[in-house]
Every structure is written in structure tokens, then in C-alpha cells.
Amino acid sequence: MPPGKVLQPVLKMKVDELFLCWLSERSTQAMLRDCLQRIKAPGWAGRGDGDAPGPGSDAPASASRLPAFEGLSAPAVTPGPAPASSALPLGAASSSRNGPHVRGTRRSTGTRVVQTKKEEPLPPASSQSIPAFYFPRGRPQGTVHIDTVIARIETAFAQFPHERATLEDMGRVAKACGCPLYWKGPLFYGAGGERTGCVSVHKFIAMWRKILQNCHDDAAKFVHLLMSPGSNYLVQEDFVPFLQDVVNTHPGLSFLKEASEFHSRYITTVIQRIFYTVNRSWSGRITCAELRKSTFLQNVALLEEEADINQLTEFFSYEHFYVIYCKFWELDTDHDLLIDPDDLARHNDHAISRKMVDRIFSGAVTRGKKVQKEGKISYADFVWFLISEEDKKNPTSIEYWFRCMDLDGDGVLSMYELEYFYEEQCRRLDNMAIEALPFQDCLCQMLDLVQPQQEGKITLHDLKKCKLANVFFDTFFNIEKYLDQEQREQLSLLRESESDGPELSAWEKYAAEEYDILVAEEAAGDPWNDGYEPELSPVDPKLRLQLDARPFLEASSALGAVDLYEYEGEDGPQLL
Ligand SMILES: [Ca+2]
Ligand SMILES: [Ca+2]
């Protein structure tokens, strides 16, 4: 397929939009402001930080400017000292500019690592050890010698027959490596374990030594373990073996063990949630920098500590999966795992306008080729839709709906685009014998709410800033939520939006409520439950209900069918 065909509208507009999106991120702005201030400040070139070159330094001004860009994913484009060669995207923390001997792994983006090739006296522990290259979550800090780690790994392997570890043994190896337990799958597959079913001590140590030498933080290591050779990012299928191991071994999913046909559904859901949250660039490729900025690895580490997987609401919750899947199942009446615009329109009792449903199928926010070919979206697409629909405040959701509303793809919502969507809302209100606000009045309200920087043009940045993006979006395409909002005062909406902090997100609230409803429906003998008597088992009745539900009995395909997006221009094998 020729480039530019899949994503609508045209590529340039997308690029502009992504640029705007990047530009509107708070961290970007903070960085730019910081740069500007330092440029303005007298004598800015020498200013700055503990690691600054000494008075005798003749480091060029550009070098001291470089560190401000740490955290961006493309350090290679900046001028300055030649990067040490490394295939790994060490975009942030442990700057690849520093050469192999100095591995500062401080994470703070404010840390300015200035070139150190002048052999200035450094604190001890530069070349012989690697400061804090793992133990990301509060283990004793300090330097760990590679050989010490290798010795620990050798000891672990000595317990296994012929010093070969199977996947079951990898938990102990992961611990010897100092990694969270659920890195065991990636460690096993990263060392080529899937080919022979086991990993020899030599092979493993060669692999891990290389990683220790090249990857200086958890994000880099994790990407290196999962990625396919030659790339430096993660695509969706890279997560499958890791998640399959979680499904097979996490105590909170043990009830799923026998129901292998649902493994792929759960895995699909988790992968979509990972990309939804972590892949902020919408590229379909998770880089080290994106992984590092996210909370994903903390969640992976929590898998070890939290036996109740439903507590991990960001990615792994089974209950969340259950809700999404059941919602899809209701719409997908013929159960071919695809839905068309008519199916989606039935979501939530036709709450979403037809114009918006059609936009979702336009390719603005989906990537599956089915959308283009057959006018259908997959379960993976539905995961994105449902989370965006129920939580219109998270950044991906705002981008999702912004893309849908930006009909001409010019990166702003103009008045004619708002009117296009509002027209249908008016018509529907009319049908319900409710008097709709004239467009001009509605527009005034919305402009008042969003307060765009430029008159008459609403940008992604404006919406992200305004804190009531949900009200804005629902006004234009969700009749039910719009009416619901109308009944509440704006003040109370604001109060809600301000008390966000540690509170549950709109998505988490929705998922919890819906889960309870679904369970109650099951318990009340929903027609779904006909004729199937599950074996009584020691599992929590709730869990039994989960297995009991019809979607889970009728799902046909097994593991191979993990439903993943295809990305244009991707070289690797494409699933489904
Ligand atoms: Ca269908
Ligand atoms: Ca536009």
C-alpha cells in the first residue's frame, strides 16, 4: 500500500498535528521555556549545574545547550560530541554521548550531563561500576559490578539440570538478575529460549552481559529484551510472549488457565491499553523514551507484589478487560469480532451521533486495514473507542476525539466543524421534544469553556488545558452525556474536575460500575446463562461468573488470534 494511504487525512497534516501535540505537552513547553530563559540570561552558556565543565573548559556553547533536550527521543540529531555508537535508543537518562565509561543514570530530566571526555576528576566509581543500573524501585542504591551479577546468575543456573533453565525456572534467574519477577518471560525469550525450550547458562550470560553493558536503565533493558533484532522500539506483537507468560503464571489469573481461548482476548486488551497509554506519539512503536516516561514498568513490577490483578487498573485488570469485552460482545451480534457503523451506533443506546460514528470509521483514529477495506473495526479498535468514550479527559482520549472532529485535518477545530456536529445534536434533541440551544449560543458557551488562545480556532492544546474537554466533546456528539451534563451545574463539574488527584479516573469509575452490573446480571440469571452449569470450584463465585458468561463460551479462536493493529510500513510479520 502506498505510503500516506492508510491514515486520513493527508500525511503532512498528521505530521503537523503530531508536532502540535508534541508542542502542547507540558514537558515540551517547560523545556522550551527553560531553554529560552537560559539563552536570555547573561552568560547562559556556562550556567547551570553540578556537572558543568570547570573554569578551564572550552566546551562549545552548543554542548551545554544539549542536555536540555534530554528526554527527547532523538538525541542523534543534536550537534555536539559524537554519540558513542550504540544500537539502543538511549534517548534520555544515561546519555549515549558519554561514551562507554561514564554511565550516569540519573533520571531527572533536569540533570545536565555535560561532556566528560576531558578526564576531569570524577567521583569514584566511573569505569569500574555501573551506578544503579537496575533496582528501579527502591532497592539499596549503589554500584553493582557486572561480575557480581554474573556470579549470582551462575549460582542460580547451577541448581538446574545441565545448567539449563526452562521457562519455569526463569523466575529464579530473574531474581538473580535483580529484575522484577515478571521479567522472567522476556528474559527467557530474549535469550532464545523458545527455540529449544530452555536456556543454557552460557547463552543467558552472554545475552545479559551485553544488556548490562549497553542498557543503563530498566526501560532500555526491557525494550532490548522484547524487541525484534535490528529495531529499537516495540510493536504490538512484541508484547505477546511476555503477556502470555503473565496469563500462565499470575495467581490473579489462575482461573483463566483452563480457558485458553480467552487468553488472546485478554492479551489483546492489555496490549491495546499499553499502546493507548504509553505510545503517546501514536506511531505504533513504543520507544525507550516513551516507556521511560510511562508507568508501565512500575506496573510490571507490581504484578509480583499484587496477587489481585484487578488492583492493577492501568493495564492488567481482568475486570476492566471483562467489561470491554462484554460491551463489544453486545454489539458484535454475529460474533466475527468485527463491528460495522450500525453495530457501533447501538453502543449505549445510540448515545453517540451518527456523524461521529462515521468519523470513527473514517480512518482518523483507527489503523486496522479492515476499516478501509470493509468498513469494519476490530475488537482492538473498540478498546480504544470505549476508553476514549468513557474517559474524555485523558490525553489520548482528547487526541482521539480531536482527530475525529478535525474534519479537514488542519490541526484546529474551526467553527464549521463544530457546527457540522452540533447540527445532528439539535436534530436529535428536536426529536426528543427538547429545545436545543441555537448554535451561536452553544458556541459562546463552548468558547467560554475552552478559552482558546486564538479566537475562533480550538487547538488540541486548548482542549488539554481547559479541564472540561469531556463537556466540550459530549456537547457535540454524545446526546445522553450532554443532557446529563446540562442537568448539573458547571460549577459542580468544575469541582469534580479539580478534585482529580488520587481519585479514580472516569474510566476506572465506569469500569467498576459496569463490572458490578454485569456480575449482577449474571447472578440474576441473565438469559446468557442458559443451560450451562459450571463445575463448582473453589474459585470466587465472581470469577466463576466470569467464565460463565456466554462471550467466553463462544469465543472460538485460540491463542494465535491475538488481535493487533497493523501498522503501515511495518516490516515484521503482521498478525491478523
Ligand atoms: Ca460482527
Ligand atoms: Ca479543522
Side-chain angles (χ1 to χ4, degrees):
M1 209 176 274
K5 267 276 156 127
V6 162
L7 284 177
Q8 299 286 338
V10 293
L11 191 60
K12 183 192 168 302
M13 288 170 173
K14 278 298 154 209
V15 172
D16 290 347
E17 186 187 322
L18 289 172
F19 175 70
L20 283 172
C21 156
W22 171 78
L23 206 58
S24 63
E25 276 188 12
R26 198 170 295 164
S27 59
T28 308
Q29 293 177 348
M31 180 195 76
L32 291 176
R33 223 172 293 132
D34 184 46
C35 289
L36 187 65
Q37 270 167 7
R38 279 192 294 142
I39 291 168
K40 279 200 218 150
W44 63 278
R47 247 188 62 196
D49 50 80
D51 298 331
S57 164
D58 55 0
S62 65
S64 56
R65 200 168 49 206
L66 276 177
F69 289 91
E70 293 210 354
L72 297 185
S73 55
V77 299
T78 52
S85 67
S86 163
L88 289 163
L90 300 167
S94 53
S95 159
S96 58
R97 291 186 292 276
N98 286 337
H101 294 304
V102 182
R103 299 190 175 100
T105 55
R106 286 166 205 148
R107 278 159 177 254
S108 154
T109 47
T111 306
R112 287 150 199 168
V113 185
V114 176
Q115 58 183 138
T116 51
K117 61 183 174 188
K118 292 174 74 74
E119 300 285 20
E120 302 233 1
L122 285 165
S126 63
S127 64
Q128 290 188 333
S129 53
I130 303 168
F133 69 96
Y134 66 85
F135 300 127
R137 302 184 66 255
R139 296 266 202 104
Q141 293 284 331
T143 57
V144 181
H145 203 283
I146 289 184
D147 290 341
T148 318
V149 182
I150 300 297
R152 268 210 313 267
I153 294 170
E154 282 170 342
T155 312
F157 269 86
Q159 307 161 28
F160 310 136
H162 310 293
E163 298 201 315
R164 285 171 179 275
T166 61
L167 185 51
E168 288 72 47
D169 299 323
M170 287 311 282
R172 273 184 281 172
V173 177
K175 292 284 104 187
C177 293
C179 295
L181 179 65
Y182 285 92
W183 283 47
K184 59 196 172 76
L187 287 169
F188 183 73
Y189 296 113
E194 81 283 5
R195 283 189 289 275
T196 53
C198 61
V199 179
S200 72
V201 65
H202 303 296
K203 212 163 176 197
F204 185 84
I205 285 176
M207 183 275 299
W208 192 238
R209 190 187 287 277
K210 197 173 150 206
I211 287 191
L212 291 184
Q213 284 166 348
N214 292 303
C215 306
H216 309 308
D217 71 0
D218 276 8
K221 285 177 194 159
F222 196 81
V223 168
H224 193 97
L225 283 172
L226 262 65
M227 72 191 188
S228 39
S231 60
N232 53 4
Y233 49 79
L234 299 178
V235 295
Q236 298 204 342
E237 55 260 45
D238 292 334
F239 286 88
V240 174
F242 158 67
L243 290 171
Q244 184 63 55
D245 184 54
V246 173
V247 169
N248 292 345
T249 58
H250 195 279
L253 291 169
S254 54
F255 62 89
L256 249 190
K257 203 171 265 172
E258 304 306 317
S260 61
E261 64 271 35
F262 314 120
H263 292 185
S264 63
R265 305 282 174 272
Y266 172 79
I267 290 172
T268 296
T269 310
V270 178
I271 289 178
Q272 298 315 319
R273 298 195 69 189
I274 292 169
F275 275 74
Y276 187 93
T277 307
V278 180
N279 187 212
R280 301 289 307 115
S281 65
W282 287 67
S283 64
R285 297 170 169 187
I286 292 179
T287 60
C288 264
E290 280 183 335
L291 194 65
R292 193 173 285 126
K293 275 189 231 165
S294 76
T295 57
F296 178 69
L297 289 179
Q298 284 95 309
N299 275 272
V300 172
L302 282 173
L303 282 170
E304 179 178 355
E305 290 159 30
E306 183 57 73
D308 178 5
I309 201 134
N310 295 320
Q311 298 300 318
L312 304 178
T313 52
E314 252 188 298
F315 305 102
F316 297 108
S317 164
Y318 180 84
E319 289 182 0
H320 286 199
F321 152 67
Y322 186 78
V323 168
I324 301 170
Y325 191 60
C326 287
K327 290 288 164 190
F328 182 80
W329 182 262
E330 282 173 27
L331 303 177
D332 181 24
T333 43
D334 61 0
H335 307 316
D336 65 350
L337 290 173
L338 295 168
I339 53 174
D340 64 21
D342 291 333
D343 295 326
L344 187 64
R346 284 187 286 109
H347 174 72
N348 208 5
D349 209 10
H350 295 267
I352 295 159
S353 79
R354 186 63 195 207
K355 282 177 175 175
M356 183 48 80
V357 168
D358 289 341
R359 280 297 289 163
I360 292 166
F361 283 78
S362 73
V365 287
T366 55
R367 291 170 183 273
K369 289 185 180 151
K370 287 253 192 274
V371 177
Q372 270 79 32
K373 280 188 194 149
E374 300 167 25
K376 289 179 178 174
I377 63 171
S378 65
Y379 173 63
D381 292 312
F382 182 77
V383 176
W384 286 63
F385 161 76
L386 190 63
I387 298 174
S388 299
E389 165 58 17
E390 293 305 333
D391 183 357
K392 295 200 178 77
K393 286 190 199 174
N394 80 62
T396 304
S397 174
I398 295 175
E399 287 155 19
Y400 185 99
W401 296 119
F402 188 91
R403 281 167 177 248
C404 286
M405 289 188 75
D406 184 14
L407 298 172
D408 57 10
D410 67 348
V412 294
L413 301 184
S414 311
M415 298 310 110
Y416 87 89
E417 286 161 330
L418 303 184
E419 195 166 12
Y420 172 82
F421 287 100
Y422 193 68
E423 187 267 335
E424 185 178 347
Q425 294 285 83
C426 283
R427 213 163 359 102
R428 296 183 69 180
L429 286 170
D430 215 35
N431 290 343
M432 298 161 82
I434 299 172
E435 197 183 342
L437 217 53
F439 176 67
Q440 284 305 326
D441 295 354
C442 164
L443 187 62
C444 282
Q445 268 190 9
M446 288 301 115
L447 291 178
D448 205 37
L449 179 111
V450 177
Q451 310 242 328
Q453 278 177 345
Q454 237 186 311
E455 208 177 319
K457 289 179 171 180
I458 293 173
T459 64
L460 198 52
H461 175 62
D462 295 328
L463 283 170
K464 284 183 176 174
K465 221 177 58 180
C466 84
K467 296 202 170 187
L468 286 172
N470 55 328
V471 178
F472 176 84
F473 288 130
D474 287 334
T475 300
F476 290 104
F477 58 81
N478 189 315
I479 200 86
E480 193 173 296
K481 290 184 179 172
Y482 171 66
L483 290 173
D484 189 42
Q485 271 157 20
E486 285 293 282
Q487 292 178 0
R488 289 185 287 166
E489 275 184 47
Q490 294 238 329
L491 255 182
S492 71
L493 288 170
L494 253 178
R495 222 172 292 132
E496 275 172 34
S497 76
E498 274 163 8
S499 61
D500 260 348
E503 249 191 65
L504 294 180
S505 70
W507 165 252
E508 286 170 320
K509 281 183 206 159
Y510 168 82
E513 281 164 20
E514 287 297 320
Y515 183 77
D516 288 345
I517 293 170
L518 287 166
V519 167
E521 279 174 3
E522 288 300 314
D526 191 82
W528 272 6
N529 222 353
D530 53 358
Y532 179 71
E533 276 303 317
E535 299 236 326
L536 283 178
S537 67
V539 296
D540 182 319
K542 256 189 173 182
L543 298 181
R544 216 187 66 223
L545 285 163
Q546 290 164 0
L547 288 173
D548 207 6
R550 198 95 152 284
F552 297 84
L553 294 176
E554 290 188 0
S556 52
S557 60
L559 251 188
V562 175
D563 178 14
L564 304 169
Y565 280 152
E566 295 167 290
Y567 286 94
E568 183 67 1
E570 198 176 289
D571 298 317
Q574 298 187 336
L575 286 129
L576 248 181

